[in-house]
Structures are given as C-alpha cells and as structure tokens.
C-alpha cells in the first residue's frame, strides 16, 4: 500500500527546467539570434536569468509535489504560489504510461503519466521516480476491489490475465532506416533553419564572404546562394533522419485483451497505452515521398489522449506497406474492416479539382513577374498545382460498411480514414453558390481526438451522395438506386 505521501527524486527539478527549454526551444533559438544581433549581447543575460528563474521554480515545485494512493484514489499535492490537490479515482483511470528520458535513465528513474477520461495529463504526471516505485504505483492503481468483497489477491490475478500479450508487431531495422530516409519532416526543419540563417548577419558578413571567394575561386553570388540552400536541405534531411531513428528505434506494438501497448525510442524510451474502448478512428497517411514506394504511417485517434494538445494523434505504426494494412487491421483492430469505395466525385467536378489549388497563387504570379528578374518562372507553379488537383480528384472516395465509414482524400499527402459509425462526433455538409449550380457539396466528418476533434473532408461530392452518407449515419433506409456506383472507376 502507498498510503503515505511520497516525493519525487530531486532530479525532477532539473527535468522541469529541461522540459521548459525543450517546449520553447525553437522560440529560444530564434530569439537568441535576433536578440544577440540587436542588443549588443545583453540578451544572453536575460536568457540566463530566465533559465535561473525556471530552475528555482523547478526546485520549489519539487519541494511541494507529493503523491500517494489512498483507498481508491491517487492523490497529488502541488503548486508553489497556488496550492492544488488532485484526486483521481481508480475507476476513472484509463491509461498509465511510463517513459524513460535520457536524464531519467542516467539515474535509473522513469516518468509516470496517469490519464483519465476527462482529466488533464500534465497535472497527473510524476516526473521522476524509480522503476520499482512506478511498477508498484501502477499495480496499486490497477487493482480493483472485487464485487463480492474477496481479497486483493484474487483482484491481482484478474489483472495479470488481462495483461497477457495476444499479438506483437515490431519495426525491423531495414524498415526503420527506410522510414528515416523517406521522412518528410525535413521541409519543416529547413524552413526553421532558413529563418535562423536570415539572422546570422553577425557571422556571415561581407568579410566572411570575401574570405570564401578567395579560398574557393570561381564562387559567385549565385553559387553561394545555391550552396547555402543545398546546405540547409542536407542539414535538414540529416536532422530529420536522426530524429526518426531516435524516435522509433526498437519500435514494438503489443496487443492485449483490452489495449494496445506501444514502446519505442532510443534516447527517450516511451511506453504508450491505448485502450480499445477509446479508439475513435484509424488514419493511414501516405506522404508524397513514401507513397511511390507503397508505404505510409498509421495513426489512431484516441479520445482524451494528451488533453493539453488539441488534435494530437498517436502513431500506431511508423512505417508500413499499404498492401499490408488490411492484414494488420485484421490482427490488431479487427472491428475496422475496410468497406469498398462506393462514392466518388462526379466527373463534372474534375476541372474544379484541377483549378482549386491555383486559386491562391494566381494573384501572386503577376506580382512576382513584375518585381523579380526571373519572376516569370512562377508560371511553372500552375501545371504543378494542376497536377496536384488531378491527384486529389483521383484519390477522393468514400466507402460505407455496416458500421464503418472509409474516407479517402488528399491535401498534399494522401489520407485514408476509417471511422466506426458510433464514434463519429458530427457530420457536416457545406455548399457555396458555385457548387450549388452543379448540385455538389463538401462533406466533413469529425471524430474525437485529443482535446478536440479530427476532421476528415472530401470535396465536391454530389448532393445525392452526401444525403446517402447522412442517412447511413442516422440509420435511415437507403434506396436501392442510391447504392449504385454511378461514376467511372478511378485509381485505388
């Protein structure tokens, strides 16, 4: 029993500081470059002062933070200026995740996150305790009082039976490396590096450029700019590659009778539990780099997962072939059987799909042409975006099963959402005056995910088909002619 209040390990104070820096890392880096180049170096003192205040705050938070399990509750006391007491009933606890960060592993510690159906996760996080204490805490919170008043020994046996592993999936080293090669995250990293490089006047000045010209004969302004762009892309791709390796090394998925358990991470070892009864939808995303190879990433949308971050999804499998999705779902999520596609946009919407991506760039092309020496090259964007629109038209499709909606669409990456009918939070149709003339509508379906919802939208469906989907959701009868596939088959 853990009836006495306990403290965390003192390293929890340092962990709090590191978490604060990590959460604001990009902001700090950008402010560091901007601040040091405009305040003659005084900004660094403000930055160090901020870190010192955060460290003192972390120490005080560690002093006041205490936890215990008393009767049927997890009780947490915390707060430096504002004292707070938190009580989590065992019956409301849905997930108990254990994570090992790098600093915690150095001291043989772990972080425990206790999540309920409606509570926030941040306030139920114990940042640094020993693995033994974590396992004892989880065991204590998992114990159920037997309905017939029998002792705890019987309750413990029931718990062990529920934890029996019924299936296991692992990411091979080959697939991990392939996933890292084809990750599309380098675009975001490149944009961040590009923003930072614009603030490096202090380091890349005229003297530095002249030195480079003398050291590398044949260099010009054009080759220098091209070289910087290539360097940013290479560095971004390398960071993205390492990020995937660190995040998904030794990735393993286990299935028990009540939940899926995801374990992964090289430096920070995460252990995420996903109860079946909280899964709202499955989402398979094929990025533009991975799709030609036939691979993508599989997510699950879980209600209440990390309530502090709206719309956050859980990566169920980081790299899997699209041809293996059906077999994977049959083994791990057997209720999510994929119905055949029955609904597609009408043929008269093809040009709408092709034109739509160009709407936002067409007004900008004359401006770029007028202001830039080679601005006319921006015309090349039109056919590229037109091709994107054509792919969106080819990919848009819906399938209705007895209890499952399958919805495929593309923004840039191609997404296939599989949602159980009773998990759909709401369905909405929208129609502008141009669509009204063609009797077509957009359809958006929302499933719960994180603190908010995850929306899936398919554009320019016929009004008859959107009505069919709404009837299906309301369990109303659908006329036989409404179930016919009336449009030419498109690519799968």
């Amino acid at each position: 029993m853990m009836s006495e209040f306990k403290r965390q390990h003192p390293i929890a104070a340092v962990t709090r500081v590191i978490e604060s820096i990590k959460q604001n890392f990009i902001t700090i880096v950008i402010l560091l470059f901007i601040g040091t180049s405009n305040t003659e170096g005084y900004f660094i003192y403000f930055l160090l002062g901020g870190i010192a205040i955060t460290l003192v705050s972390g120490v005080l938070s560690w002093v006041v933070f205490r936890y215990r399990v008393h009767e049927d509750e997890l009780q947490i006391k915390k707060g430096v200026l504002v004292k707070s007491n938190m009580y989590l009933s065992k019956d409301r606890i849905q997930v108990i995740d254990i994570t090992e960060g790098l600093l915690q592993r150095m001291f043989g510690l772990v972080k425990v996150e206790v999540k309920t159906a409606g509570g926030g996760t941040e306030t139920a996080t114990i940042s640094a305790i020993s693995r033994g204490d974590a396992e004892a805490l989880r065991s204590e919170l998992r114990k159920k009082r037997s309905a017939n008043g029998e002792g705890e020994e019987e309750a413990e046996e029931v718990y062990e039976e529920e934890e029996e592993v019924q299936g296991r999936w692992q990411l091979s080293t080959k697939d991990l490396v392939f996933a890292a090669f084809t990750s599309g995250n380098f675009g975001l990293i490149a944009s961040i590096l590009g923003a930072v490089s614009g603030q490096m006047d202090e380091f890349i000045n005229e003297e530095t450029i002249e030195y480079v010209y003398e050291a590398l004969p044949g260099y010009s302004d054009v080759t220098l700019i091209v070289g910087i762009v290539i360097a940013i892309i290479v560095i971004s791709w390398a960071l993205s590659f390492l990020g995937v390796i660190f995040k998904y090394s030794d990735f393993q998925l286990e299935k028990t009778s009540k939940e899926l358990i995801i374990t992964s991470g090289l430096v920070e070892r995460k252990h995420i539990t996903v109860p079946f009864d909280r899964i709202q939808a499955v989402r398979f995303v094929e990025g533009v780099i991975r799709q030609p190879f036939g691979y993508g990433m599989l997510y699950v949308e879980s209600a209440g997962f990390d309530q502090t971050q709206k719309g956050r999804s859980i990566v169920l499998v980081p790299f899997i072939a699209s041809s293996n999705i059906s077999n994977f779902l049959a083994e791990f999520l057997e209720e999510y059987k994929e119905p055949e596609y029955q609904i597609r946009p009408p043929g008269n919407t093809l040009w709408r799909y092709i034109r739509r991506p160009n709407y936002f760039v067409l007004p900008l092309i004359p401006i770029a042409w007028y202001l830039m020496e080679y601005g006319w090259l921006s015309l090349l964007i039109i056919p590229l975006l037109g091709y994107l629109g054509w792919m969106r038209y080819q990919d848009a499709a819906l399938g209705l099963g007895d209890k499952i909606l399958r919805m495929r669409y593309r923004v840039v990456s191609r997404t296939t959402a599989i949602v159980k009918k009773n998990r759909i939070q709401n369905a909405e149709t929208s129609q502008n005056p141009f669509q009204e003339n063609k009797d077509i509508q957009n359809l958006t379906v929302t499933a719960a995910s994180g603190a908010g919802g995850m929306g899936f939208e398919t554009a320019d469906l016929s009004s008859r088909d959107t009505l069919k989907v709404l009837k299906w959701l309301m369990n109303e009868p659908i006329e036989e002619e409404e179930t016919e596939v009336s449009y030419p088959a498109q690519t799968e």
Side-chain angles (χ1 to χ4, degrees):
M1 295 290 292
M2 305 177 67
S3 57
E4 299 297 326
F5 276 107
K6 291 189 173 185
R7 294 187 189 279
Q8 301 175 96
H9 190 279
I11 203 67
V14 181
T15 303
R16 183 180 175 87
V17 176
I18 294 176
E19 284 293 325
S20 296
I21 294 175
K22 191 166 69 174
Q23 291 173 0
N24 300 284
F25 179 74
I26 295 175
T27 303
I28 292 173
V29 169
I30 294 175
L31 290 179
L32 184 62
F33 280 100
I34 296 176
T36 52
S37 60
N38 293 286
T39 61
E40 299 180 353
Y42 288 108
F43 178 80
I44 194 69
Y45 296 108
F46 290 103
L47 183 63
L48 293 176
I51 294 175
I53 292 173
T54 306
L55 181 58
V56 172
S57 173
V59 172
L60 294 176
S61 297
W62 170 78
V63 170
V64 300
F65 189 99
R66 289 175 293 165
Y67 71 95
R68 73 173 180 177
V69 179
H70 182 65
E71 295 182 347
D72 284 343
E73 289 181 335
L74 169 64
Q75 300 178 355
I76 294 177
K77 295 179 178 293
K78 63 172 190 172
V80 178
L81 298 178
V82 179
K83 306 289 185 184
S84 65
N85 299 313
M86 184 176 186
Y87 304 97
L88 295 181
S89 170
K90 286 183 179 180
D91 293 334
R92 295 183 61 230
I93 292 174
Q94 299 286 330
V95 175
I96 304 172
D97 287 339
I98 296 178
T99 305
E100 299 172 85
L102 177 61
L103 186 62
Q104 290 147 332
R105 294 174 76 173
M106 291 171 62
F107 292 88
L109 305 171
V110 297
K111 178 174 72 176
V112 179
E113 293 177 278
V114 181
K115 303 173 183 177
T116 65
T121 55
E122 186 180 357
T123 52
T125 298
I126 302 172
S127 300
I129 58 176
S130 69
R131 174 165 285 281
D133 285 346
E135 294 295 346
L137 176 61
R138 179 161 64 177
S139 177
E140 191 71 30
L141 294 176
R142 288 287 193 186
K143 285 180 181 176
K144 306 286 186 185
R145 288 183 179 275
S146 58
N148 56 8
E150 294 181 5
E152 293 176 355
E153 183 176 353
E154 180 176 330
E156 185 75 12
E157 290 176 355
V158 172
Y159 166 74
E160 290 176 355
E161 183 180 348
E162 293 173 352
E163 288 296 308
E164 181 181 354
V165 176
Q166 299 176 350
R168 181 177 285 109
W169 189 94
Q170 291 178 300
L171 184 67
S172 68
T173 303
K174 177 184 175 183
D175 282 349
L176 174 63
V177 173
F178 204 1
F181 266 111
T182 57
S183 171
N185 296 331
F186 70 90
L188 174 62
I189 300 174
S191 62
I192 295 172
L193 289 178
V196 172
S197 66
Q199 303 299 326
M200 296 187 69
D201 297 344
E202 193 171 307
F203 305 98
I204 305 176
N205 49 34
E206 188 173 345
E207 184 179 347
T208 306
I209 294 174
E210 288 181 359
Y211 174 79
V212 173
Y213 285 168
E214 293 175 1
L216 299 172
Y219 250 59
S220 65
D221 290 345
V222 174
T223 53
L224 182 62
I225 293 173
V226 172
I228 291 174
V229 171
I230 293 175
I232 289 176
I233 293 174
V234 171
I235 293 173
S236 304
W237 180 84
L239 292 175
S240 173
F241 181 91
L242 292 176
V244 173
I245 295 293
F246 286 153
K247 189 172 184 179
Y248 297 117
S249 283
D250 197 20
F251 184 96
Q252 178 173 277
L253 172 69
E254 293 180 334
K255 175 187 175 183
T256 67
S257 61
K258 290 188 175 180
E259 58 199 16
L260 296 172
I261 302 169
I262 303 167
T263 309
S264 72
L266 184 62
V267 178
E268 184 181 40
R269 191 77 178 151
K270 289 190 175 181
H271 179 102
I272 299 173
T273 305
V274 188
F276 287 119
D277 58 1
R278 297 180 68 188
I279 294 177
Q280 309 295 302
V282 178
R283 183 164 56 98
F284 182 59
V285 179
E286 301 165 90
V288 292
I289 300 176
R290 290 178 176 172
Q291 188 186 349
F293 298 101
Y295 286 86
M297 184 178 287
L298 191 65
Y299 298 85
V300 290
E301 310 300 337
S302 177
F305 177 77
D306 202 344
Q307 289 89 345
T308 59
Q309 298 189 36
K310 181 180 178 180
R312 182 175 175 180
S313 305
I314 304 172
V315 175
L316 188 61
V317 178
F319 192 73
I320 184 171
S322 54
S323 57
N324 289 337
I325 289 295
S326 296
N327 291 336
F328 177 88
L329 293 177
E331 180 177 358
F332 290 93
L333 292 167
E334 58 271 15
E335 292 181 293
Y336 287 81
K337 296 178 181 177
E338 305 163 283
E340 295 293 327
Y341 292 121
Q342 304 149 344
I343 300 173
R344 300 177 189 274
N348 61 355
T349 62
L350 172 60
W351 284 108
R352 285 185 56 82
Y353 270 89
I354 292 176
R355 292 196 310 265
R356 187 180 290 114
N358 282 296
Y359 288 161
F360 295 103
V361 299
L362 286 177
L364 301 177
I365 289 177
I367 299 174
W369 196 333
Y370 179 76
L371 296 177
M372 301 173 65
E373 184 176 1
Y374 296 100
W376 59 271
L377 290 175
S378 59
L379 290 171
L380 297 176
I381 297 175
I382 295 177
L384 291 176
L385 292 180
Y387 179 67
L388 174 63
W390 179 81
M391 288 195 297
R392 288 180 179 178
Y393 174 77
Q394 292 291 324
D395 292 329
L398 281 84
L400 301 177
D402 292 336
K403 299 179 181 179
I404 296 291
L405 168 67
R406 185 185 184 192
M407 196 169 185
R408 192 177 66 186
Y409 60 94
R410 177 189 294 274
V411 179
V412 177
S413 301
R414 186 166 77 172
T415 298
T416 303
I418 306 171
V419 193
K420 292 175 70 173
K421 181 192 291 187
N422 60 358
R423 296 295 190 182
I424 293 175
Q425 302 293 307
N426 61 68
E428 179 180 348
T429 60
S430 60
Q431 185 180 52
N432 60 43
F434 300 102
Q435 290 176 311
E436 188 174 0
N437 290 335
K438 291 181 175 293
D439 196 22
I440 55 178
Q441 298 177 334
N442 299 336
L443 174 67
T444 303
V445 172
T446 303
S449 178
M454 174 64 71
F456 313 110
E457 180 180 282
T458 301
D460 296 336
L461 298 172
S462 75
S463 299
R464 186 192 67 171
D465 286 334
T466 57
L467 177 62
K468 183 196 308 183
V469 176
L470 296 178
K471 283 185 175 180
W472 175 81
L473 282 171
M474 299 297 292
N475 294 318
E476 295 181 2
I478 301 175
E479 301 298 330
E480 185 176 351
E481 62 271 15
E482 292 179 329
T483 63
E484 295 177 356
V485 180
S486 54
Y487 308 115
Q490 296 163 301
T491 56
E492 290 294 328

